[in-house]
Amino acid sequence: MEKLTAERERIIEELASEKPRLMNYIRRRARNVSETEDIYQEAMARLARQLQTGELPANPAGYLYRIATNIINDNMRRRQEPMESVDELADSLSCEQPQPDQQLNDQQCLALFVKQLNELPTTTRNIIIMRKLDGKTNVEIARHLGLSAKAVEKQLNRALKAIESKMARYLEPRA
């Protein structure tokens, strides 16, 4: 009996010197660092219960690390919530920039719009630029070009409809 008690004391002393390394091990693996001390204490309590049964592990330090790992894994399993499906997760993530295929499509649309704009008569092109880019009103454009506001409105509407029609034909999905 004395031999068993002496062996237990030796194991406890050996494990006391292992505490800093074991605490680092737990801290690195546990998701919640504030639980490190609790996990360490639980591991020591489980080891103490094992030692009281009279069965001494061949490698007490390794056994203690295994106990700590099991406690960490048990805690993670208990806290684990069902995972979202990949589709739900993808929908919840937002990206400020469009995807590459969308960027390419946007560039092609812009190039087509600029081509259509450049094919317009100079006055009509200037009306669109002043209205859409400069933000001028039809009255301001009319004064600048020496036209009536109604004439500016008609040219603007006709030109935009023509560009929209040409772009729609070009951008229709080809079967």
Side-chain angles (χ1 to χ4, degrees), residues 29-142:
R29 283 162 181 75
R31 284 194 177 165
N32 188 347
V33 176
S34 64
E35 294 179 345
T36 303
E37 186 66 37
D38 293 339
I39 293 170
Y40 173 78
Q41 289 176 6
E42 175 64 24
M44 290 301 287
R46 288 185 189 183
L47 179 64
R49 284 192 296 271
Q50 178 65 33
L51 292 176
Q52 287 176 350
T53 65
E55 294 180 38
L56 302 176
N59 178 0
Y63 187 69
L64 185 59
Y65 278 84
R66 172 52 38 207
I67 292 171
T69 301
N70 289 343
I71 294 169
I72 292 166
N73 291 340
D74 290 345
N75 288 348
M76 286 182 177
R77 266 188 237 110
R78 245 181 273 128
R79 278 193 299 255
Q80 196 171 39
E81 296 175 9
M83 289 192 59
E84 292 182 79
S85 74
V86 173
D87 292 335
E88 290 172 359
L89 184 61
D91 290 342
S92 69
L93 299 175
S94 64
C95 179
E96 296 294 322
Q97 287 198 326
Q99 295 295 316
D101 58 334
Q102 183 62 47
Q103 289 177 0
L104 179 61
N105 186 48
D106 293 347
Q107 288 171 352
Q108 289 172 341
C109 285
L110 180 59
L112 180 60
F113 176 78
V114 169
K115 180 180 181 277
Q116 298 300 320
L117 186 64
N118 287 331
E119 290 177 0
L120 293 173
T122 305
T123 303
T124 307
R125 183 175 53 241
N126 288 338
I127 290 172
I128 292 174
I129 291 170
M130 285 189 270
R131 180 75 172 124
K132 298 298 182 181
L133 295 179
D134 300 338
K136 293 186 177 188
T137 65
N138 289 351
V139 174
E140 292 172 325
I141 297 169

